Amino acid sequence: MHDTPPPEFVELLDVVRGYQRSRALTVAAELGIADLLADGPRPADDLAAATGTHAPTLYRVLRALASIGVFSEDADRRFALTAMGEYLRRDHPLSVDPAARMFGAEYEWRAWGELAHSVRTGETAAVHALGTDVWEYRRRHPEHGEIFDATMRTFSRADNAGLLAAHDFGRYGTVADIGGGTGAVLAAVLSAHPATRGILFDQEQVVADAGPVLRRAGVADRVDVVPGDFFDTIPEGADAYLLVRILHDWMDEEAARILRGVRAAMAPGARVLVVDAVVGPPNEDPAAKSLDLMMLVSVGGRERTEAEWTTLLTAAGLDLVAVTRATPNKHVIEAVRV
Ligand SMILES: C[S@@+](CC[C@H](N)C(=O)[O-])C[C@H]1O[C@@H](n2cnc3c(N)ncnc32)[C@H](O)[C@@H]1O
């Protein structure tokens, strides 16, 4: 017997209870607590008054978050932002606030509640839970669409430096960002390469919000914004076709359809640049493997090993020519027409 519980037991229980922290963080994000602390520490009662919440209960949530470093608490029950908590501010360029509100949104919880359904049937949990896929769900609930797009902007900003270091985009005259969201990746690419032009392609209601992102980066005059469905048409004539966090949203059949459309649109010498995870060996790479579960539950897609990428690209008439790590869990997978 042990005097204290064995570390493996403690660690496993911590995994079991992981959702409780996540939930607390989402509630703090929904209440905008980090923004209320932007000018300095405030007492819990003050925060409760500002958010219209039950003071003793808000205090318990905040002290739990302070115990894991999101906020700090002093002896007078005043809370302040920590280095970690700063990322919850909505005005932070790498704000985690939209991610906290998206992953903690009620529709995501319903989807994750159906993981066992996915495991029994192989079906997408979100479709089972919501009666529609998440893209359609977000079209019907634009407020969730906006939170999703903001989450993608944060992810892009976090990954952009690694992406630009991993691949020389300066060699392309025109880069088409397919499923480019509100343009955060393309803005970074074009800012770094003033002679390159861009095409931003995504769903109509998504590219509608791209203007401010492109203007802030000073690249709007070099971008053609094209709304559309990547299962129908892909804009022609670019030298590079960038697909960032796109193909992992889809199973092989749909992913190959998107790639075939890109292949048909591209000039013979053009490149396809897929930016996604490349799943590592057994017992490693928890980031890609948990992202893979997210794809399973939420969108009905998957992360892929290098062998699986090769198979998928081959099925679309493309040859994988290089794989370069851009960030700890994102690679640039380069392909050309066979
Ligand atoms: C995971 S996000 C990635 C966004 C962006 N590439 C990034 O990394 O920030 C997937 C994108 O695919 C877009 N998308 C989904 N279905 C689409 C379709 N049928 N046609 C065009 N875009 C689509 C979504 O609107 C979303 O912007």
Side-chain angles (χ1 to χ4, degrees):
M1 284 300 288
H2 297 263
D3 293 342
T4 54
E8 295 81 2
F9 169 89
V10 173
E11 207 178 316
L12 188 60
L13 268 183
D14 209 38
V15 175
V16 167
R17 292 194 290 238
Y19 73 94
Q20 296 163 2
R21 293 170 173 187
S22 174
R23 194 75 205 133
L25 192 59
T26 296
V27 169
E30 286 172 349
L31 293 173
I33 298 293
D35 286 355
L36 293 171
L37 296 176
D39 294 330
R42 288 175 75 168
D45 286 355
D46 217 20
L47 294 167
T51 53
T53 51
H54 184 248
T57 306
L58 179 66
Y59 168 70
R60 291 166 65 185
V61 169
L62 296 182
R63 84 173 164 184
L65 289 169
S67 76
I68 56 170
V70 177
F71 303 115
S72 67
E73 178 189 0
D74 71 12
D76 298 321
R77 295 188 167 202
R78 287 190 320 164
F79 289 88
L81 287 178
T82 58
M84 206 198 287
E86 284 286 338
Y87 289 95
L88 273 185
R89 286 177 57 170
R90 292 184 182 166
D91 61 356
H92 197 294
L94 292 183
S95 180
V96 173
D97 167 83
R101 287 186 289 138
M102 181 186 99
F103 293 120
E106 191 262 348
Y107 75 97
E108 282 281 341
W109 276 77
R110 272 159 60 202
W112 277 92
E114 295 298 339
L115 174 60
H117 175 82
S118 286
V119 172
R120 276 193 300 271
T121 63
E123 292 169 12
T124 307
V127 173
H128 184 67
L130 309 175
T132 173
D133 69 23
V134 283
W135 305 115
E136 180 56 29
Y137 185 86
R138 291 184 191 126
R139 272 192 288 272
R140 288 185 202 163
H141 300 86
E143 68 284 11
H144 288 304
E146 278 164 29
I147 292 172
F148 175 83
D149 294 339
T151 304
M152 291 305 119
R153 281 196 290 278
T154 293
F155 288 174
S156 306
R157 290 194 190 110
D159 289 351
N160 278 344
L163 177 60
L164 291 172
H167 192 83
D168 174 20
F169 289 89
R171 61 176 125 143
Y172 305 118
T174 303
V175 174
D177 194 355
I178 304 302
T182 51
V185 175
L186 193 60
V189 168
L190 300 189
S191 293
H193 300 289
T196 302
R197 292 191 59 82
I199 300 171
L200 179 67
F201 182 83
D202 204 299
Q203 304 182 87
E204 187 157 16
Q205 78 280 7
V206 177
V207 292
D209 291 331
V213 177
L214 300 174
R215 280 197 294 279
R216 250 196 316 274
V219 301
D221 57 337
R222 284 187 280 137
V223 179
D224 289 330
V225 176
V226 182
D229 180 341
F230 50 43
F231 290 109
D232 285 348
T233 50
I234 302 278
E236 293 187 350
D239 306 300
Y241 283 83
L242 191 52
L243 296 121
V244 185
R245 285 180 275 265
I246 297 301
L247 298 181
H248 76 163
D249 287 342
W250 305 95
M251 294 304 274
D252 286 353
E253 197 179 313
E254 290 92 358
R257 258 178 73 198
I258 298 169
L259 284 170
R260 276 190 219 104
V262 169
R263 186 184 186 282
M266 67 200 266
R271 298 235 144 181
V272 178
L273 305 169
V274 174
V275 179
D276 256 325
V278 174
V279 174
N283 309 310
E284 291 177 26
D285 205 0
K289 289 169 187 174
S290 68
L291 197 57
D292 178 59
L293 291 188
M294 202 168 98
M295 295 305 120
L296 166 71
V297 166
S298 183
V299 287
R302 57 175 309 157
E303 303 300 335
R304 296 176 170 90
T305 63
E306 188 167 331
E308 288 164 344
W309 280 116
T310 304
T311 305
L312 174 62
L313 290 161
T314 304
L318 295 163
D319 253 347
L320 189 156
V321 291
V323 176
T324 315
R325 185 184 286 276
T327 71
N329 66 0
K330 285 283 172 291
H331 289 70
V332 183
I333 302 152
E334 274 179 72
V336 294
R337 272 163 81 148
V338 174

